[in-house]
Amino acid sequence: MSDSLQIMKETRQGVTILHVMNQRLIEPRLSDDLTRHLCGLIEGGALCLLVELGSVARISSVFFRSFIMAGKKAKEQKAKIAFCSLQPLIKEGFTITGMDKLFKIYGAEPLAMADLAEKQ
Amino acid sequence: MIMNLSNKTTSKFSLETAADLDHLGEIIGFTEKTLERLGVPDDARGHLCLAVDEIVTNVALYAYKGTRGKINVSFERMGSKLIVAIADSGIAFNPLQHPAPDTSLSIDQRKIGGLGIHLVRKMTDKMEYMRVGDENRLILEKNIGGKK
């Protein structure tokens, strides 16, 4: 089990892309780290965050809590958060918890970038 | 840790360990291996692993209120059903009484928590709770196909 949150960050065409490298997002401690990370980027001026979850095979509800907290912060700062490359089980979790109604969910990353970069 | 891989005729596997977040990985690893060994299909395995993770995390965070305690997780295949039993001796908590969150609310109105039990409900086919003596016993049932 991973002890740390593994994220690769890049910025392209005004979009801050976060590639989450953990296979499992289940540990509550990591969800606190993710909340801090996402909120920190928004507070630091990032206006468009794309969270790429292609490597993540499992995610627990504590991480949906992180996304909601970051979503509230994004709304406050007039920023937006979107997600892409969700594996089937993750997509199911997003649907069950209503995350798909709170955030824009894209298929593959290029599709997300084509849409988000155009709007920047 | 007490691991009891009992006889193959009943296909029942159980693990008793400390109910804290340091042991979450051990429980999830045991869950994955056991479900694979019991021939549970991939999609159902994903659902069950997530359900076990949610319940175990709840127990680790809230059941013993800072004191040490144990959790027992067991798996039994009964034909086309997979039965998961999770027991702890923490404070009484009936997840079936936990209200479902309103997932249609906007980001402003959404509450931060309350999604774990909702996920467990949706990812399993049946949940039963009993308080027996000082023990919480939660039974999860999932149809996994195959022989009845």
Side-chain angles (χ1 to χ4, degrees):
Chain A
M1 186 138 298
S2 171
D3 290 323
S4 62
L5 189 63
Q6 296 161 27
I7 289 182
M8 276 172 51
K9 188 183 83 164
E10 59 173 325
T11 303
R12 274 189 273 141
Q13 298 169 281
V15 180
T16 304
I17 310 164
L18 300 173
H19 302 276
V20 181
M21 309 307 287
N22 302 67
Q23 274 198 309
R24 297 168 174 157
L25 290 179
I26 59 173
E27 294 173 76
R29 278 179 286 246
L30 297 192
S31 79
D32 295 337
D33 292 346
L34 183 62
T35 306
R36 275 193 293 273
H37 197 80
L38 292 171
C39 290
L41 286 169
I42 294 162
E43 283 167 354
L47 289 174
C48 183
L49 295 182
L50 176 62
V51 183
E52 187 267 305
L53 293 173
S55 299
V56 180
R58 196 163 303 146
I59 190 165
S60 73
S61 64
V62 289
F63 287 85
F64 293 129
R65 190 177 63 187
S66 294
F67 298 150
I68 292 173
M69 289 169 78
K72 286 176 185 286
K73 176 65 72 181
K75 177 135 195 229
E76 203 179 286
Q77 304 281 331
K78 296 186 171 36
K80 61 185 165 192
I81 301 175
F83 295 85
C84 71
S85 311
L86 276 58
Q87 294 190 28
L89 184 62
I90 308 299
K91 199 169 183 180
E92 200 177 343
F94 268 66
T95 305
I96 289 171
T97 57
M99 292 296 116
D100 59 341
K101 297 185 190 83
L102 300 178
F103 302 101
K104 181 85 177 167
I105 313 294
Y106 293 95
E109 187 189 323
L111 292 173
M113 281 305 294
D115 190 42
L116 294 171
E118 192 178 274
K119 292 172 183 167
Q120 291 309 298
Chain B
M1 176 185 81
I2 300 167
M3 187 170 4
N4 173 26
L5 296 178
S6 54
N7 68 67
K8 286 182 180 174
T9 54
T10 59
S11 296
K12 187 170 181 176
F13 300 84
S14 66
L15 168 70
E16 185 173 283
T17 190
D20 57 45
L21 293 176
D22 290 337
H23 289 81
L24 181 61
E26 177 193 0
I27 296 169
I28 295 302
F30 176 77
T31 300
E32 285 172 347
K33 281 180 191 158
T34 303
L35 294 177
E36 190 176 353
R37 190 166 176 172
L38 289 171
V40 177
D42 283 353
D43 54 346
R45 208 187 306 162
H47 291 166
L48 286 164
C49 282
L50 191 60
V52 169
D53 163 52
E54 294 293 345
I55 299 297
V56 172
T57 299
N58 265 357
V59 171
L61 289 175
Y62 308 116
Y64 292 102
K65 295 198 161 188
T67 61
R68 289 182 179 202
K70 296 271 187 191
I71 186 166
N72 185 292
V73 185
S74 71
F75 301 89
E76 186 171 12
R77 181 167 185 162
M78 299 176 78
S80 61
K81 289 177 183 170
L82 197 289
I83 312 294
V84 185
I86 301 172
D88 67 83
S89 301
I91 55 166
F93 175 67
N94 181 354
L96 303 181
Q97 292 177 343
H98 196 77
D102 185 348
T103 57
S104 67
L105 295 175
S106 70
I107 192 79
D108 297 319
Q109 297 168 310
R110 281 293 293 262
K111 289 183 180 167
I112 300 296
L115 294 171
I117 302 296
H118 180 60
L119 273 169
V120 176
R121 273 201 191 101
K122 296 287 183 183
M123 295 212 164
T124 55
D125 295 302
K126 192 174 171 186
M127 281 174 80
E128 281 178 21
Y129 170 82
M130 289 160 281
R131 180 76 179 175
V132 182
D134 65 349
E135 200 172 81
N136 293 303
R137 290 186 192 169
L138 183 68
I139 312 290
L140 308 176
E141 196 176 299
K142 176 94 175 160
N143 294 319
I144 55 170
K147 290 179 188 173
K148 293 261 178 190

